Amino acid sequence: MKKAAAAAELVFIPSPGKGHLVSTVEMAKQLIGRDHRLSITVLIMKFPFDISKVSSSTQSPLLTAAEDRLQLVYLPQGEAASAELRPKNPVNFMLEFVINLNKQHVRDHVTKIISTDSSRLAGFVVDMFCTPMMDVAAEFGLPTYVFFTSSCAFLGFKLHLDTLCRDQDITDLKDSDAALEVPVFVNPIPAKVLPSVVLDKEGGSTFFLGVAKRLRETKGIMVNTFEELESYAVKRLAGDDKVPPIYPVGPVLHLVMDEKEGDEEVIQIMRWLDNQPPSSVVFLCFGSMGTFDGDQVREIAQALEQCGHRFLWSVRQPPPKGKIEMPSEYHDFNQALPEGFLERTTKIGKVIGWAPQVAVLSHRAVGGFVSHCGWNSVLESLWCGVPVATWPMYAEQQMNAFELVRELGLAVEIKLDYRRDFLYDSIKAKLVTADEIENGIRKLMENGDKSSIKGIKQKVKEMSEKSKIVIKEGGSSYNFIGRFIDDVIINIPSP
């Protein structure tokens, strides 16, 4: 679909991961919906080897997003990337085998835009992992902005990392009990909740520092959060004159039902929920890459039997060891679950594969969410008013869990420092026992005026209401989007 002529055109370059792609397209839709002067092209990169399930899982919501003044372009994979490439160092995965292989494709398409479109290019908007594309923007004399798909607190941590590294080798803190002072956090951050990439002695921390340096060089950073949720972090960053302008524009969520949600399996899930009492079901789901080995699955199953709460549990099959692939579906859940588990829990629980997460969280029967704490999932749970029990897996999820529990008081803890990183085969996840899981679920689902969860549930309810107000006209995120658009127009390069 060809875009209608507009006064200013932005080129968005998201990371190819599902959570980054979908929220980026939603952000683009909001921008063009707010101002007729804008048009947007989203350049979608492909992974360099076959994890086609990622592509297929994102294409449906993305392709249906195309509309006037918004174009989605899937960049070619290229011959060099079609081989069975495997990065020797996982932190180089995005840089070497995704970003650098696509730089020429981006150059080619931007050149095409310049030669065929009547609108003027206003700049690039890149994902936090795509800051090397700033070099391409500079070649065309264009400014670069960032759409940051994680929290404002995590952004603040990244920007402060160079300061932390001046006096110490931060990789020495791996497995230590040290705590770090970071300006955007009220409480010291335990080293155990730092992302794996920061603690990686093989170059991960260097890569991370490089990304942080490039973030400081941008014209501005949109963050998928809202001022009322992370007021302390937003205020600290806004007051730092060494940080580019910060625009808290969230929650940016994909709330439209996907085609897959009309499948018979999904219909059965929603029908099962329809038959459960209000707020009685605990939903366990660990994200697009979240899986467990057999021992951990059995501990979860035992915990669910012990606590006796109604449950909806998304169980996915891990990819083959050493391969970077999406989890697959079990043909038979008995392959993973303890013998007789399905029969013993048939009256209180349902085990599923892929989950229509927003639809489930929106259902009146769901009263709690055991989550990996990916930032999109955090925002979705708050939007739906469902309290979380934290079980982080990889990336920045441990820091998200820490922020939810210790900083904001919006979640209960199962674990804050659990770590199962699909890019790091060397990381051996420590077993979370059935008793630990049961204790967390009981805290999450208990009722009564004296229950410890009461205050958390009230805070979540209030934050849910605020998350819907901030995106309406006059709300804080609505105003920040307007401010971002104004700044983009002001900074359009002269012809």
Side-chain angles (χ1 to χ4, degrees):
M1 181 184 297
K2 183 171 177 58
K3 303 182 300 301
E9 178 159 2
L10 289 169
V11 175
F12 273 63
I13 307 177
S15 164
K18 181 179 179 180
H20 297 255
L21 272 171
V22 175
S23 58
T24 297
V25 172
E26 290 298 317
M27 187 71 250
K29 289 167 63 179
Q30 287 196 33
L31 289 173
I32 63 170
R34 279 288 299 275
D35 199 307
H36 68 277
R37 295 173 295 176
L38 291 179
S39 65
I40 293 174
T41 295
V42 182
L43 301 182
I44 300 173
M45 299 180 289
K46 296 181 180 179
F47 282 105
F49 38 80
D50 184 19
I51 48 175
S52 56
K53 291 174 186 176
V54 175
S55 299
S56 63
S57 69
T58 58
Q59 278 195 15
S60 173
L62 288 175
L63 289 174
T64 56
E67 55 188 81
D68 189 35
R69 292 182 289 114
L70 173 61
Q71 186 176 26
L72 309 174
V73 177
Y74 286 82
L75 297 176
Q77 193 170 38
E79 292 181 9
S82 62
E84 279 294 306
L85 300 172
R86 289 291 182 269
K88 295 179 181 178
N89 186 328
V91 301
N92 292 329
F93 172 63
M94 281 299 297
L95 179 61
E96 295 297 333
F97 295 105
V98 179
I99 306 302
N100 287 344
L101 283 171
N102 278 282
K103 276 189 174 180
Q104 189 57 48
H105 297 316
V106 172
R107 288 188 189 98
D108 293 344
H109 201 85
V110 172
T111 299
K112 182 180 177 182
I113 292 173
I114 291 172
S115 64
T116 59
D117 281 12
S118 58
S119 54
R120 288 165 57 191
L121 277 178
F124 281 21
V125 179
V126 302
D127 184 88
M128 57 180 164
F129 290 121
C130 299
T131 51
M133 289 295 180
M134 293 173 67
D135 298 332
V136 181
E139 292 171 17
F140 290 95
L142 298 172
T144 300
Y145 305 88
V146 169
F147 179 48
F148 197 82
T149 54
S150 294
S151 71
C152 195
F154 183 58
L155 171 62
F157 167 75
K158 291 187 79 166
L159 294 172
H160 186 65
L161 188 61
D162 58 343
T163 301
L164 291 173
C165 291
R166 283 175 196 160
D167 301 322
Q168 61 185 326
D169 182 349
I170 201 165
T171 63
D172 290 339
L173 299 179
K174 186 177 181 180
D175 301 322
S176 81
D177 293 323
L180 306 173
E181 299 286 345
V182 178
V184 292
F185 285 85
V186 175
N187 301 289
I189 302 175
K192 290 182 179 179
V193 305
L194 299 181
S196 301
V197 65
V198 174
L199 301 171
D200 175 30
K201 286 185 177 293
E202 301 300 319
S205 58
T206 302
F207 168 79
F208 216 65
L209 279 167
V211 170
K213 180 177 181 294
R214 300 308 297 269
L215 288 173
R216 289 185 181 275
E217 297 170 2
T218 63
K219 278 287 187 181
I221 305 173
M222 290 187 288
V223 189
N224 192 7
T225 190
F226 52 103
E227 196 172 27
E228 288 78 355
L229 173 61
E230 295 189 277
S231 56
Y232 186 81
V234 170
K235 183 178 180 180
R236 292 305 298 261
L237 285 183
D240 188 340
D241 58 9
K242 295 181 180 179
V243 174
I246 302 295
Y247 311 90
V249 295
V252 181
L253 301 171
H254 180 71
L255 300 174
V256 179
M257 182 175 288
D258 298 339
E259 290 178 11
K260 190 171 181 179
E261 295 187 27
D263 288 354
E264 181 59 32
E265 290 181 12
V266 176
I267 293 172
Q268 293 299 324
I269 291 170
M270 304 312 293
R271 191 171 294 163
W272 183 84
L273 287 171
D274 289 342
N275 292 324
Q276 310 308 314
S279 302
S280 66
V281 175
V282 58
F283 175 43
L284 299 90
C285 187
F286 300 92
S288 57
M289 296 296 292
T291 63
F292 297 104
D293 59 24
D295 289 343
Q296 189 61 76
V297 169
R298 286 186 283 275
E299 293 293 320
I300 298 172
Q302 183 180 337
L304 290 171
E305 284 200 75
Q306 288 174 185
C307 72
H309 283 289
R310 297 171 190 269
F311 66 86
L312 180 67
W313 179 17
S314 173
V315 179
R316 313 293 301 285
Q317 186 167 4
K321 187 173 177 60
K323 288 196 173 184
I324 303 174
E325 294 180 359
M326 290 290 288
S328 56
E329 305 297 329
Y330 283 105
H331 297 297
D332 180 0
F333 287 119
N334 287 308
Q335 293 176 254
L337 298 170
E339 185 177 355
F341 174 80
L342 293 174
E343 291 77 12
R344 291 192 299 273
T345 60
T346 186
K347 292 184 178 180
I348 63 167
K350 186 173 181 62
V351 177
I352 61 175
W354 177 87
Q357 185 164 290
V358 174
V360 170
L361 290 172
S362 301
H363 199 284
R364 62 172 181 78
V366 175
F369 182 23
V370 177
S371 171
H372 66 305
C373 301
W375 191 245
N376 284 336
S377 293
V378 168
L379 294 176
E380 288 168 2
S381 67
L382 291 174
W383 178 272
C384 297
V386 178
V388 165
T390 62
W391 192 335
M393 305 282 285
Y394 54 88
E396 89 291 7
Q397 293 164 10
Q398 291 80 16
M399 292 189 73
N400 293 344
F402 174 80
E403 183 180 14
L404 284 173
V405 174
R406 302 286 165 80
E407 294 280 299
L408 305 179
L410 290 170
V412 300
E413 175 185 351
I414 290 180
K415 282 289 183 182
L416 295 183
D417 59 355
Y418 182 86
R419 200 177 296 271
R420 181 179 170 85
D421 200 318
F422 66 95
L423 283 178
Y424 288 86
D425 290 339
S426 61
I427 295 177
K428 177 64 176 175
K430 296 179 181 178
L431 196 70
V432 183
T433 68
D435 288 344
E436 290 175 300
I437 302 165
E438 178 190 2
N439 184 51
I441 291 175
R442 287 190 183 280
K443 285 182 180 178
L444 181 67
M445 300 300 290
E446 66 185 0
N447 294 305
D449 291 339
K450 295 182 180 180
S451 67
S452 59
I453 189 67
K454 183 184 178 184
I456 293 174
K457 286 183 176 179
Q458 183 60 35
K459 284 185 178 181
V460 170
K461 181 181 178 183
E462 292 170 358
M463 202 58 69
S464 175
E465 294 168 355
K466 290 177 181 178
S467 73
K468 296 175 175 65
I469 292 172
V470 297
I471 61 174
K472 295 179 180 178
E473 187 170 357
S476 62
S477 295
Y478 183 96
N479 292 337
F480 273 112
I481 290 174
R483 194 178 305 175
F484 172 77
I485 293 171
D486 289 343
D487 289 349
V488 165
I489 299 298
I490 290 170
N491 289 320
I492 294 177
S494 301

